[in-house]
């Protein structure tokens, strides 16, 4: 024996039926655990690293293992590569199209085994078992075809299911077929003379060497993607997404690795002692057991998803960072949805703190109730995932997928915001979901999140819903080409972006809905009057690193006007506003000779924030909705370092700014621009905001008419 590790004493001492049962039971357990993994942001990278983890221990041992018969090296190297490819493709299949779909497609293996047998050894090697198993395979595939519409879209939709499924299943099936044919006993009685343990470790070592190359590339390439609101430069130590997702699911992955290696070794023993045709008998039985187990598991979880009781944990938020999904209250998810009436779902980025996005849902709801009796509808607020948002003065949101697998007619209003380009992958990052949350294990979530990089987070297609009603958008922004495709099926589309020529007539240009805030919630905002007086309200996003310039401009303004300064956050979600930078500005203002009446307001209640803006003498900020709330309450306003959405608003809807002939400015011009804004009376003229309010209301009425929710409109 030439092995550096001597495994001759580890020959299997158990009867063959023991290994058959272990093979079958391990396969079922492996499939069930694998199918519970929530779809990660990048399933391709996740599957590569999971395959590496599975092969790590036996593979490392295999790197120092040699076989008794060196002539068997070539075939066992091929088998090792095929084994690795099969593990990877099955993991990926579970993540992209679901376990049931993956294993149903793999029922085609007997046919491919037959084909490979003929290609490698010639047609004389075929046995009666091959013929019988081929016939069984055809029968089972026919059954699969007739039931696929019901079972297949576990994680994918009908448009991409066969595309993904065919590719993934082909890799797995061909890999398994080659492995079975090369590893089986031949009809002439010959078989591999190496011990099963040596073969198992050696083949694992070959597979590990191959997958390590892909794993290293994955670790280099697959960092957390940039988002428009949180670029890599803001957080250079951002963890790698695949690794962070694996760390979150590590207990399950360790169990998967142990189970997979256990049943893989057992299957090797069976394969080594059986003819290829005989071995496939066991695979057909194993595959059937796996599919039945997945079917029962899927239906149990689907029914349980409506009745699961979850803890109502205290909702705790860090003053500087976004709120973890782990600490959210799950009180909304799991409560059974009403099933008797049609639903109106107000959907948007309302599950993380941005006061403008949070206002949109409340404002749309109130505008709708003002013109329409919706007492015969059930109304819900929703984000991509559920979240308790009551800490911020608004309602909790449900997860949008809770409404998808329902026969109840569901109308969806995309309530607005700069959401027309955000992928589901980016949307999830703001919410930081707990991998064990029950909603992530539902079929509707698996379907919605099958392709998180391409699926839009906040422009949701009617195709995801069993009974979609009217779908509309309420002045959304930054519409991407992918969003254009989805919006083509909507009943009414309004946008705050300039409309391109090719979409003239297909959508309506309108001011942001938050312009109506004073008319709807003026009394409520007045009741939240701040403790400060005679102050300038100041906000700026985290990206504004030149605090010295900002502090210098504000110090000059305080000395000139005698007003105080209150710095506040318009958003506490990742990449938004930073208390640390605000405190730095306070320190720098003190260094410039301004120490009195300068405050940092830490509150995050949206009505407190709105009132802080409404009662100020002047607002200065980078946020669009700081500008809009100021406009609504006729507060002089300055926007610096503006993006296109702020520029569009100023140029098209801020009629006071038009009269004053002011646009956005830069940080080094805050003082001069602020002085001019305070001196221009048009900023304080309520008729200017009233004009924009009426323009929005006209569009709003047309929007609601198109939904047919309120026939009287």
């Amino acid at each position: 024996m030439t092995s550096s590790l001597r495994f001759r004493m580890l020959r299997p001492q158990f009867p063959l039926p023991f290994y058959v049962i272990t093979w079958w039971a391990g396969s079922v357990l492996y499939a069930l655990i694998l199918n519970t993994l929530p779809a990660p942001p990048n399933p391709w990278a996740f599957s590569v690293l999971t395959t590496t983890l599975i092969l790590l221990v036996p593979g490392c041992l295999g790197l120092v293992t040699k076989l008794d018969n060196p002539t068997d090296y070539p075939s066992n190297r091929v088998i090792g590569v095929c084994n690795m490819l099969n593990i990877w493709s099955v993991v990926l299949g579970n993540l992209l199209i679901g376990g049931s779909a993956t294993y149903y497609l793999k029922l085609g293996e007997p046919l491919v085994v037959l084909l490979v047998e003929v290609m490698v050894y010639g047609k004389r090697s075929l046995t009666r078992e091959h013929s019988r198993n081929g016939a069984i395979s055809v029968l089972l595939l026919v059954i699969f075809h007739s039931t696929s519409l019901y079972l297949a879209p576990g994680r994918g939709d009908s448009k991409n299911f066969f595309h993904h499924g065919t590719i993934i299943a082909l890799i797995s099936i061909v890999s398994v077929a080659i492995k079975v044919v090369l590893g089986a006993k031949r009809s002439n009685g010959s078989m591999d003379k190496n011990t099963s343990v040596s073969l198992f470790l050696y083949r694992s070592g070959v597979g590990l060497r191959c997958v390590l190359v892909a794993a290293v590339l994955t670790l280099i390439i697959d960092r957390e993607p940039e988002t428009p609101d949180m670029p890599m430069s803001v957080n250079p130590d951002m963890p790698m997404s695949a690794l962070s997702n694996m760390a979150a699911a590590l207990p399950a992955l360790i169990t998967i690795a142990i189970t997979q290696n256990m049943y893989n070794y057992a299957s090797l023993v069976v394969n080594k002692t059986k003819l290829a045709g005989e071995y496939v008998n066991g695979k057909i039985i194993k595959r059937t057991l796996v599919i039945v187990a997945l079917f029962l598991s899927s239906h149990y979880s689907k029914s349980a998803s409506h009745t699961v009781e979850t803890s109502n944990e205290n909702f705790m938020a860090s003053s500087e960072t976004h709120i973890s999904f782990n600490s959210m209250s799950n009180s909304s998810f799991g409560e059974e949805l009403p099933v008797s009436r049609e639903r109106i779902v107000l959907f948007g980025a309302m599950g993380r703190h941005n006061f403008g996005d949070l206002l949109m849902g409340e404002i749309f709801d109130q505008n709708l109730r003002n013109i329409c009796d919706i007492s015969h509808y059930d109304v819900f607020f929703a984000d991509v995932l559920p979240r308790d948002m009551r800490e911020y003065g608004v309602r909790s949101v449900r997860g949008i997928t809770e409404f998808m697998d329902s026969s109840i007619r569901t109308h969806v209003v995309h309530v607005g915001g700069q959401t027309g380009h955000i992928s589901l992958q980016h949307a999830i990052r703001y919410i930081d979901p707990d991998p064990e949350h029950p909603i992530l294990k539902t079929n509707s979530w698996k379907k919605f999140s099958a392709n998180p990089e391409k699926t839009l987070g906040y422009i949701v297609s009617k195709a995801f819903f069993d009974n979609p009603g009217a779908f509309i958008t309420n002045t959304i922004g930054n519409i991407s080409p992918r969003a254009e495709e989805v919006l083509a099926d909507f009943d009414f589309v309004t946008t705050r972006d300039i409309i391109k020529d090719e979409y003239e007539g297909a959508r309506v240009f309108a001011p942001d809905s938050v312009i109506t805030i004073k008319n709807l919630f003026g009394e409520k905002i007045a009741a939240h009057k701040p403790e400060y007086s005679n102050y300038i309200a100041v906000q700026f996003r985290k990206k504004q690193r030149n605090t010295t310039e900002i502090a210098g401009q504000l110090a000059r303004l305080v000395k000139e006007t005698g007003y105080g300064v209150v710095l506040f956050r318009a958003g506490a979600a990742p990449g938004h506003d930073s208390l640390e930078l605000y405190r730095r500005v306070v320190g720098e203002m003190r260094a410039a000779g301004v120490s009195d009446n300068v405050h940092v307001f830490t509150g995050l209640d949206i009505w407190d924030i709105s009132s802080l803006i409404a009662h100020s003498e002047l607002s200065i900020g980078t946020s669009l909705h700081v500008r809009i709330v100021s406009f609504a309450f006729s507060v002089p306003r300055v926007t610096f370092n503006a993006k296109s959405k702020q520029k569009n608003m100023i140029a098209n809807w801020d009629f006071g700014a038009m009269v004053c002939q002011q646009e956005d400015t830069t940080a080094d011009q805050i003082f001069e621009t602020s002085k001019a804004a305070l001196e221009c009376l048009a900023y304080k003229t309520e008729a200017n905001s009233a004009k924009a309010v009426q323009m929005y209301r006209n569009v709003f009425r047309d929007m609601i008419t198109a939904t047919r929710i309120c026939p009287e409109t």
Side-chain angles (χ1 to χ4, degrees):
M1 182 174 181
T2 58
S3 172
S4 59
L5 297 176
R6 298 188 173 275
F7 296 111
R8 190 175 295 280
M9 298 303 294
L10 298 176
R11 284 185 185 276
Q13 300 298 315
F14 300 103
L16 188 62
F18 171 82
Y19 292 101
V20 173
I21 293 172
T22 302
W23 175 33
W24 291 349
S27 298
V28 171
L29 184 60
Y30 173 71
L32 288 174
I33 299 173
L34 190 60
N35 201 47
T36 63
L37 292 176
N42 189 339
W44 299 85
F46 187 89
S47 61
V48 169
L49 295 183
T50 299
T51 304
T52 306
L53 178 65
I54 290 171
L55 291 172
L56 189 60
V57 173
C60 287
L61 293 174
L63 294 176
V64 293
T65 300
K66 295 183 180 180
L67 302 180
D68 291 337
N69 185 0
T71 60
D72 291 331
Y73 279 157
S75 62
N76 280 300
R77 285 179 184 137
V78 174
I79 292 173
V81 173
C82 289
N83 183 56
M84 177 272 296
L85 288 173
N86 178 52
I87 294 171
W88 169 74
S89 57
V90 169
V91 172
L92 182 61
N94 270 265
L95 297 174
L96 287 181
I97 63 174
S100 296
T102 300
Y103 284 100
Y104 261 110
L105 288 171
K106 280 170 67 66
L107 286 171
E109 277 176 6
L111 289 174
V112 183
V113 169
L114 186 151
L115 179 63
V116 174
E117 179 82 19
V118 172
M119 292 174 62
V120 176
Y121 294 109
K123 63 182 180 180
R124 292 182 181 275
S125 66
L126 295 181
T127 64
R128 181 178 300 176
E129 284 80 5
H130 283 110
S131 302
R132 183 184 62 204
N133 292 335
I136 293 173
S137 179
V138 171
L139 177 62
L140 290 174
L141 285 171
V142 169
I143 295 172
F144 159 70
H145 180 71
S146 64
T147 57
S148 62
L149 291 177
Y150 182 65
L151 293 173
R155 290 188 189 234
D157 56 41
S158 57
K159 295 179 180 179
N160 65 22
F161 167 69
F162 283 103
H163 173 69
H164 285 149
T166 302
I167 296 173
I168 295 166
L170 227 83
I171 294 171
S172 178
I173 290 171
V174 173
S175 300
V176 169
I178 294 172
K179 185 173 75 166
V180 168
V181 171
L182 294 183
K185 182 178 76 172
R186 303 315 312 156
S187 58
N188 59 10
S190 64
M191 59 183 291
D192 198 313
K193 301 301 183 183
N194 296 288
T195 67
S196 298
V197 175
S198 295
L199 285 173
F200 174 70
L201 296 179
Y202 179 79
R203 293 171 182 176
S204 297
V206 172
L208 181 63
R209 280 195 293 266
C210 294
V211 78
L212 273 176
V213 176
V216 170
L217 290 174
T218 296
L219 294 177
I220 294 171
I221 297 171
D222 186 57
R223 291 184 175 272
E224 291 279 0
E226 295 186 18
T227 69
D229 294 317
M230 189 166 65
M232 195 72 76
S233 59
V234 172
N235 186 4
D237 298 320
M238 195 174 291
M240 299 177 186
S241 62
L243 279 181
S244 60
N245 280 285
M246 286 191 68
L250 192 57
L253 290 175
I254 291 174
T255 306
I256 285 170
I258 294 171
T259 308
Q260 207 283 339
N261 283 299
M262 177 185 72
Y263 96 75
N264 201 15
Y265 174 75
S267 72
L268 182 150
V269 175
V270 178
N271 189 206
K272 186 170 178 284
T273 56
K274 292 287 185 180
L275 298 175
E278 296 170 339
Y279 174 75
V280 173
N281 289 339
K283 285 192 75 67
I284 290 176
I285 296 172
K286 183 201 81 167
R287 196 75 70 227
T288 303
L289 291 173
V290 168
I291 291 170
V292 170
L294 287 170
F295 175 82
L296 294 175
S297 171
S298 173
H299 278 261
Y300 172 76
S301 65
K302 185 174 181 179
S303 61
S305 68
H306 295 294
T307 58
V308 61
E309 294 183 2
T310 52
S311 61
N312 186 11
E313 303 171 7
N314 291 330
F315 188 73
M316 300 296 293
S318 162
S319 63
E320 272 295 324
T321 61
H322 68 295
I323 302 157
S324 171
F325 193 63
N326 296 318
S327 63
M328 64 159 275
S329 165
N330 295 330
S331 58
S332 64
F333 178 77
E335 294 178 4
E336 192 165 352
L337 291 167
V339 295
S340 58
R341 304 192 298 180
E342 290 189 23
R343 298 165 178 162
I344 300 172
V345 179
L346 306 183
F347 175 53
M350 298 181 289
R352 83 287 198 284
H353 188 274
N354 177 305
F355 99 110
D357 290 328
L358 296 181
L359 282 170
M360 288 174 194
E362 300 291 336
I363 285 171
F364 191 95
D365 177 73
Q366 193 59 51
N367 272 320
L368 181 58
R369 294 177 190 278
N370 283 353
I371 69 168
C372 179
D373 177 13
I374 56 173
S375 59
H376 52 294
Y377 291 96
D378 290 314
V379 180
F380 300 92
F381 283 42
D383 201 322
V384 294
L385 288 167
R387 172 67 63 78
D388 187 339
M389 300 299 289
R390 290 172 293 179
E391 180 80 1
Y392 305 128
V394 293
R395 281 166 271 197
S396 296
V397 294
R398 302 192 74 127
I400 188 63
T401 59
E402 295 180 60
F403 306 96
M404 292 179 177
D405 291 343
S406 173
S407 59
I408 302 298
R409 189 164 179 80
T410 302
H411 309 280
V412 178
V413 177
H414 298 67
V415 295
Q418 201 76 348
T419 55
H421 67 296
I422 297 176
S423 69
L424 178 59
Q425 180 179 14
H426 289 176
I428 292 171
R429 291 181 62 230
Y430 286 118
I431 297 180
D432 188 21
D434 174 5
E436 299 304 316
H437 194 278
I439 197 173
L440 301 180
K441 296 179 175 63
T442 60
N443 285 339
S444 55
W445 175 259
K446 293 173 184 177
K447 177 181 176 181
F448 183 50
S449 63
N451 196 344
E453 292 180 343
K454 293 185 179 179
T455 300
L456 293 167
Y458 293 110
I459 307 295
V460 61
S461 170
K462 287 186 177 183
F464 285 114
F465 290 77
D466 286 355
N467 189 3
F471 275 45
I472 62 174
T473 67
N474 176 53
T475 61
I476 58 171
N478 202 0
I479 301 173
S480 68
R482 172 68 183 123
E484 302 284 11
E485 298 174 10
V486 178
L487 292 175
D489 197 33
F490 276 35
D491 297 86
F492 201 87
V493 177
T494 64
T495 178
R496 62 192 189 192
D497 292 345
I498 302 296
I499 298 174
K500 299 175 184 177
D501 291 342
E502 60 265 37
Y503 297 109
E504 282 287 347
R507 60 196 50 162
V508 178
F509 183 43
D512 189 288
S513 60
V514 176
I515 188 61
T516 62
I517 186 173
K518 182 179 180 182
N519 304 73
L520 302 175
F521 297 109
E523 292 183 4
K524 184 172 185 175
I525 289 171
H528 284 252
K529 186 175 181 179
E531 61 186 51
Y532 316 108
S533 60
N534 299 317
Y535 61 91
I536 301 167
V538 179
Q539 169 276 335
F540 59 87
R541 56 181 173 265
K542 195 174 184 178
K543 296 178 185 178
Q544 310 303 318
R545 293 294 183 178
N546 190 3
T547 55
T548 303
E549 181 66 63
I550 295 172
Q553 294 287 315
L554 292 177
R556 289 181 64 193
L557 195 56
V558 169
K559 293 174 181 178
E560 176 78 15
T561 63
Y563 294 141
V565 167
V566 180
L567 294 115
F568 70 97
R569 288 175 293 171
H576 284 62
D577 306 339
S578 167
L579 291 178
E580 178 186 354
L581 294 185
Y582 288 174
R583 288 168 182 143
R584 188 187 302 170
V585 167
V586 172
E588 291 171 342
M589 288 181 69
R590 286 173 180 165
V594 177
S595 57
D596 296 332
N597 204 16
V598 179
H599 310 277
V600 175
F601 177 71
T602 60
L604 293 175
D605 183 292
I606 66 167
W607 308 111
D608 289 342
I609 295 171
S610 298
S611 188
L612 185 73
I613 298 168
H615 286 90
S616 66
E617 303 297 327
L618 169 74
S619 76
I620 301 172
T622 58
S623 162
L624 171 64
H625 286 98
V626 168
R627 178 91 188 194
I628 292 174
V629 173
S630 302
F631 179 35
F633 284 90
S634 302
V635 174
R637 46 210 173 266
V638 171
T639 299
F640 68 98
N641 294 357
K643 298 180 181 179
S644 60
K645 60 182 180 180
Q646 291 93 335
K647 292 177 181 290
N648 281 345
M649 187 270 166
I650 295 170
N652 293 284
W653 310 113
D654 191 338
F655 298 109
M658 295 177 195
V659 173
C660 296
Q661 297 183 334
Q662 278 196 324
E663 299 178 348
D664 59 288
T665 190
T666 55
D668 61 351
Q669 292 297 312
I670 289 175
F671 173 71
E672 295 296 341
T673 308
S674 296
K675 277 185 61 181
L678 287 168
E679 293 168 0
C680 184
L681 294 178
Y683 275 125
K684 299 181 180 181
T685 304
E686 293 185 2
N688 289 323
S689 58
K691 181 179 178 181
V693 168
Q694 189 56 50
M695 295 174 76
Y696 174 77
R697 284 180 170 171
N698 293 339
V699 173
F700 183 80
R701 187 168 293 274
D702 292 341
M703 189 188 329
I704 300 307
T705 300
T707 67
R708 299 172 296 281
I709 292 173
C710 311
E712 67 271 20
T713 61

